[in-house]
Amino acid sequence: MPQIVSPFAVSVMGGLTPTGDTRLQVEVTDVKLHVNAAAIHLLTSISSGLTSAPPRPEDPATKQPAWTELWDTRDVHSFNFWFLQPETADEAMQQDDSVAPAAVAAGATVAAVATGAARQAHREELIFKMRSLSVTVEQVVGARNVPLVLLDASFEAQVKDWSAKLLVESSLKLELAYYNSLLAAWEPIIECVERRDAGMVSFSPWELHMKVEKNEDHTEITSPLSPASVSSDVAELVNFQPPVLSIHVSTKDPLEVTVTRTCLDVLTDLQESLANALELTAPVADETDAHFLIRNQLDQRVVVLTNGEYTVHGSDIEEVVLDEGAEVPLMARDLASVQRAASSTAAADTKTVRVKVPALDWTADIPVTRAESRFFRVSPRRGDGGDSRGLLADIRAHFDSKIVTIRSCVQVENHQSVPVKVYYMNSGGNELHCVGVAEPHGMLALPLAAVYSNTAEIFFGVEGYTVSVQPFVWRELQNTPEVTRTLKCDSKKGKEGHPFCMLCHGEMKPVFFEASRAKTLTSRSYRIHLRPPAVLSNLLPVEVTYLRPGDLEAVVLPPGGSCQMSTAQAGERVTLQLSSYLDRRWACNHILEEPTDGRDGLSVWSFISADGDHQADLSLGVHTRSVDGSLQLALYAPFWMVNRTGKMLTYKRWASTLSMVSLFGGTTVGEASSLIYHPETFTEPVLFSFKPSSFFSKKKASVRVEDSEWSDKFSLDTVGSGGTVTCASHSTDYGISVQIQLSRSGLTRQVYFLPSVVVANNAPYDVQIHEAPAEEDWFTIPANSCLPFWPRDKNKELRCRVAGTTEETTYFSYKITNDCLLHLKNKYGGISTSVQVDEASTIITLDDYVDGMATVRLINHTPSDEVAYHQRPFEQRSTQPVADPKQLRSSVSGPLRRRTVRSVASRPVRSSSLRDSSSDLRGAEELDWGVHNVGRLVLGGGEPPRITPGALIASEMQRVGQTLRENAPPPDSSVLKPGEVRLYTWERPTSERTLSWSCGKVKGRIDPLVKDGIEEFEGKDGTPLYWVSFLDGMQRTLMFTADLAVATQAHNAVELERIDQEITVEIEGVGLSLVNNITQTDVMYLGITSSGVVWETQKAHGKRFRAMTSLQCALLERAHQTYENQRMVGATAPTRQVLDNKMEVDFASMQLLQPNRRYLRRTFQSGVWLQLRTSAHQRQFHAKLNRLQLDNQLRDSVFPVVLAPVPPPKSIAADSVPKAFVEMSVVERLAEHTMVRQYKYCKMLIQEFHVKLDQGFIAALVDVFSVDKLNRNTKELVESDLELAREELEKKVAIRSLQEQRNFFDFLHFSPLKIHVSFSMTGAGGGGGSGNSSGGPPIASGFVQLLLQSVGVTLTEIQDVVFKVWVGVYRAWLGVYSVGVTLTEIQDVVFKLAYFQREHQFLSQTELTSEVTAHYTGQAVKQLYVLVLGLDVIGNPFGLVVGLTDGVSDLFYEPVQGAIQGPGEFAEGLALGVTSLFSHAVGGTAGAVSRITGTLGKGIAALTLDQEYQQKRREAMNRRPADFTSGIAQSGRGLFMGVVDGVTGVVRKPIEGAQEEGALGFVKGMGKGMVGLFTRPTSGVVDFASGSFDAVKRTMDQDEVTRLRPARHFQADRIIRPYVRHEAEGAKTLLELEKGRYASTDTYVAHAICRPDRRLVFLLTDRRVLLLTRNEIFGNWQAVQEAPWDQQQPAAVTETPPPNPKPTAGPAARRPRAWPAPELAAYDSAI
């Protein structure tokens, strides 16, 4: 039985010292754990069996609670409120265990207490060591455990004084690796740390340090970092206690993580294995349980010799004879020799198996450790055709097993759905021999007799067809790596049948020669692929019938289905039918065409239907692409129309034709469009298309609801957009929400038509809603359903009631987003409403009442004061003239009568009348006004009243009214007596939602009831009272009390609460490297790095350090470096220095003396900084990512840096404090009586950054993750699209569940995003090659095509125009197609996305995620017009306008923001705007001109037709010069070399072409040379201008961002090892050496830096020795001397060299002859 934990030992040593100290030491030997699904399942079962809880009785069916008394006033003592319970407190003083209780009780002397303190001072120490902890995660495969991931760790800790002041210091060393079964090696995930000592490279595990410390109380310490609790100025004056326990985790080295393509596969297997851990599923099926499986696919017997190293089925068998097709499993006796040691990164020891073929007199030891193929020569050495005879040992990895197949070097792979017979010609050339059958999607190895025949011809045959007349000659692959032939097998029916066509594609792959690591000209493997000429895929939501030519056999393709078109040929007609779409038959006959030059193409196929009284046509699109010569046809509709409105819709397509066709019947002539009817009963998608003439033009449509008017035209092209269109009618205006989404296939746009207003009823009972007009009927929404609602009332107000009842709620508005509980005086209590309003729809959600939904719970906990409250009425200034004095006199005649006027006063007026809160006060407010309000009638206009007798009377009456106001409650108010509690909700939800309350001496206090608060006020008798607003779960509570303890307990004031635990994590940096280990390509590197040196200051009596500006930090750092250097050399360095005539510093005492006296600190910011602080009632989280950068590591990259922060211009950065790229701060209040989380403060800030992508980088990512949509199963794609299209209305709208777990956010803020976007259609793919290997345009990537289509039609249209333009140009020139790069370059387009902010709101996790996503993505879609403007003919002229506009906008906005922050900051904001305007005006102009000329240079370079030239040009442009002078020099070199290359190319290009492709290559080379004679000098001139302007921009603007590190160097054994920067720099130097002259022939071995300035390098490759120098002006490497290894002939060492010295055996023996003296001396020193 496999072990879970291997045996290990634990040793404990300890004792007491003579001084009473305690010392312990615990040491654990190596611990090895093996984790797999079976082990996890076993441990889980044991744990659940020990801790299983007794079964719970089934709960009876819950009944709907009755809320009849919900709104009644009740006694506060009838509730058991937690905040009114007496608080239990601990004793103020706890007795110290170190002092004897008897002594304390008896009043012990001071000496006794001192003795106890001395005992407490005894030291305690524990040392813990774990030498090794090895955790191997395994997968159960068959009867074996296959290793997947290995974790190696070691741990050391030292614990001191755990009885008093705890101190723990520990370190953890960590390694993480995965097992690569292909190479039988462990490859790192977490890399070791590179160390360099005296030029030698070593590695050590990544180490993590942790320190745990228990803090003592202090009176003055640094204040906690709580942005929401106290301000920075107040924090300097408040004494905060330190955390009780501090935990500090830090690293000295960055964490480097490497993820490869194989690693992703291993992690996927790991996820599946752990997912099945709790469900002990059957082990994964395996081909073999053995370590090795030997298969014989030769036509000869094979003998396998075990040699005592292997067993067969547990038996010791010396040899096994295998007949043709037989196999034998072998188990290794020494399992350790199969896999390497866990802690090593090297491969396993080479394991071999001896195999013998007696008939061929051949015996060999086959290395079987790695998954690879090897060619072995056999006797006789030559075949009948003169070929070198041999066989192949093909080794394939299956989990940790190796399957070894002995076969010939030629095999046939059948990709077709029918079996194919394989034949070869005999020696006489007059008879065919069948060698076997290649099953569908199977493989067939050819026998040696068929491979080494005289003609090497292979023939194929299919059942029902004859053998192909034309053979496939595999020997042609020896001269050409790939050969494609189309073979035809004639039908046995004669002329009636069509021939069966198959595409034979042969490919050659070099393999290792015998047991060596070399690949020779004879060691090759050949594979012949048999594919159908075309494959048809159905991307429609309906069935498609394909009629095969000749026999007219019908093949029905379901949605997403596909079929092979084996009898179809290019140039012949193909017949397709839609048999049941819209109850009509549709037919299409179209000629099958191949895409031009292998590029993807879009065409229109027209379907005709003659059913009924008229003929209808339907245009569908076909996407054609070529995959290894086989055509892949995808039939699709450009639009799917989905109707979920519940109404009859009619679509009108706007096109240039003047015809109209109704698919459901009826024809109208005279309208400039075609109508398509979509009944509400037809739930399937309707195919919507345009005429072939306008199929690829801009597409717009209109919609009509039943008999309404047509809506305005709206675009169908922009994916991801949404909006509302209106269809007016005589009774109502229908609002239709239109949402456009991209299908999974990437070719179809799904257009959803939804009602703009949707009502969802989540209550368990039916609810009825009603609009304002009394004659309108009640609209019923069934329980747990969602229905469209077509409003008629312009005010957008509704009221509700429960179906079957008469009690109605007040009206609520659905104009804006809001939540409200509507009052009902029955058993239902109320109906909760939630309104979500966005630009596309309005969703009204109705729900039943649950606890916490009321607006507020009012509690009067005062002893004698009453609380009067009412909703503040809606205020509106009156524009009427002052009332007539006669009316005023009449109003006060008699004993203070009240008069009610239909007017709106300026403020609420009190009235003695009391109304129930459930009264319906909708409509105009009726306010009671008395004599006290006479002087307040002139509010909004008119002149003030004259002083008349009436006015004097009014003045007197106002004084009397003041007395009445003080003693009378406000109008419509309710009174809450002492000791009462009551729930309250808004009486008028359509009015202003604020509560006005009066209590004690406070009158008319306004409270919006959205945030917490506490305040003291006076009661009517002068006693202090307190009001407190807080959340009790989800219920807002407003309490009035005279007990300060109750108020503070309810408010839960935690601002000054001591922190119990503080966890701080500081990681130096994090690096993530993405590697395609299959193609040996370093794709991407993501780095989170630390900052540079930061200087901080602290006030003399301050508690925190503050960072200085970037300019001040730079000045201080330069001065400090000079000071330290002088000290190191022993010179006298002045301690006090004056910098920039402003600052005076003293480096000896680290103080700033002028302009203000401060303490100085030199520090830096870690790459990742996290801090978590917790206490009993709060949690604080603060995180910083200092700098994040994403690099494109591909060799031929357009943008080396993909993502990086955009530094502010130098003029702004100099006066700003360094900021982290991402910073987040969260303050959460913890309540022990509720599960609702309350976030007092949550803010995230992201700095400005750029995103630069090119097609090559995207293609490389696709290759690593294998996410190309075009290669996925079309059936799965279409089925998922259909599933989405068939969803009901409630799944299409985001219905908010009011009973979902929700959190309260007092303040939530996500910063605005400013993103600079650039995109290029050029660049190499994942293979690391240069340009496009197929010679086609760079736009050939299917993934990028889908990406561009998802953005919208604009980019596609631009590409179509560009393609047509360049096609015409190249037809006029060499007849070669190309894509104009100038129109497909997006450079520095700015997206500005506004910030997201919510205050005092309840949000669930789902709501928060959806709102944030919709907020930013919606803005991004709106700003696509910027992307369109950036796609211009010549570069990006729009960028110039943006540059100048930004300066103006900075000047306009930032001074206002500075003034808001404080008057003293206004000058800083004004200076910021001025410097920004200057920087944008100068740098922006130069940058735009540089991009314009740079794009022209790319276009002209593309005209040279030379992929190598274009690649070298991109590499040269990526080598940024260091300064302005270098930039001008590099541009001048490009101009000079352009002229030289253009002239020399006339001779050089024809010669190179002839060497590669013979006569055809000579003609092509001549054409390239002639074109380059004109285009290369022109491109050099344009590049010179671009580089010059670019140098100006870099000088005026920010620093250039470069890669964090060079691309990884790969060893010859293909094993991924920890990154070594020295090797990466050497490999990069070889690539850059003389334009890559040696990169294609030599492999980097080692190099040495020979000078401190790094301008002289000694480089070793596998072929030669090179001495290199770097030209700083032009920025390139040149080989001063070189010497091939085969010319090095070491001789004996002599003491005195002869006059003509010969090479000696020492280091000088390997140096080339005739080297200059300086280089010779440098070489000797390097050696």
Side-chain angles (χ1 to χ4, degrees), residues 1069-1193:
V1070 177
L1072 174 61
S1073 178
L1074 184 63
V1075 178
N1076 190 338
N1077 60 324
I1078 305 300
T1079 60
Q1080 297 285 282
T1081 306
D1082 195 355
V1083 178
M1084 181 196 78
Y1085 182 74
L1086 173 67
I1088 302 176
T1089 58
S1090 59
S1091 68
V1093 176
V1094 178
W1095 287 82
E1096 298 176 340
T1097 62
Q1098 183 190 40
K1099 294 181 180 179
H1101 300 287
K1103 302 178 181 63
R1104 63 176 56 178
F1105 282 89
R1106 303 183 185 278
M1108 306 180 72
T1109 65
S1110 300
L1111 179 60
Q1112 294 172 341
C1113 291
L1115 292 174
L1116 283 171
E1117 182 61 21
R1118 284 197 296 267
H1120 183 264
Q1121 290 290 344
T1122 304
Y1123 172 75
E1124 291 294 335
N1125 291 336
Q1126 292 177 353
R1127 289 182 55 194
M1128 292 178 62
V1129 298
T1132 303
T1135 58
R1136 292 194 176 189
Q1137 299 185 25
V1138 178
L1139 309 178
D1140 200 22
N1141 296 325
K1142 295 180 181 179
M1143 292 188 300
E1144 183 179 357
V1145 295
D1146 186 350
F1147 288 115
S1149 61
M1150 292 298 287
Q1151 291 188 24
L1152 178 67
L1153 306 179
Q1154 293 293 337
N1156 299 305
R1157 194 175 187 87
R1158 297 284 191 272
Y1159 293 112
L1160 285 175
R1161 183 173 68 176
R1162 184 174 180 263
T1163 182
F1164 70 97
Q1165 301 293 332
S1166 301
V1168 179
W1169 183 87
L1170 306 173
Q1171 189 178 70
L1172 178 63
R1173 301 159 58 89
T1174 57
S1175 65
H1177 299 95
Q1178 69 172 328
R1179 181 186 294 119
Q1180 300 177 8
F1181 176 75
H1182 195 188
K1184 292 181 181 181
L1185 297 182
N1186 182 66
R1187 177 181 172 82
L1188 186 143
Q1189 181 172 326
L1190 178 64
D1191 292 343
N1192 180 355
Q1193 297 291 86

Side-chain angles (χ1 to χ4, degrees), residues 8-22:
F8 64 93
V10 179
S11 61
V12 180
M13 296 181 294
L16 295 175
T17 63
T19 59
D21 297 342
T22 303

